[in-house]
Amino acid sequence: MPSFYVSQANDTSRGTIQIIRTRLPQKDRITVLEYLEHREWGVALEHLCATICEENILISENVVHLIKDISQQMDIWDEIKEQIKDFI
């Protein structure tokens, strides 16, 4: 795998870990971390955003920017933005 993709994946993982330190229930934190361990970046982000919505977790602008940066790298920002817009 080219080093660019490894670097991008590492950045994505670190960003997602920062996000899950918010107010996610422990079971969802564990689930997101397990997805990250298996390099399932998109699934981890989708689970994170679904949990934010299901648990009605308000997120800060900093968290929104992290989610935006990560999802833009994966080219899924438009769908993620629609999912979390009510929790900003």
Side-chain angles (χ1 to χ4, degrees), residues 2-18:
S3 62
F4 166 77
Y5 294 110
V6 172
S7 174
Q8 183 178 5
N10 288 337
D11 290 345
T12 300
S13 181
R14 280 192 293 276
T16 306
I17 289 170
Q18 287 178 342

Side-chain angles (χ1 to χ4, degrees), residues 57-84:
I57 299 171
L58 294 178
I59 53 177
S60 69
E61 285 296 318
N62 290 339
V63 171
V64 172
H65 288 293
L66 285 170
I67 291 173
K68 182 178 181 180
D69 290 344
I70 293 166
S71 61
Q72 282 179 329
Q73 290 177 34
M74 295 181 198
D75 200 27
I76 58 172
W77 170 237
D78 289 336
E79 62 190 76
I80 295 292
K81 177 175 55 176
E82 283 300 311
Q83 189 177 8
I84 65 168

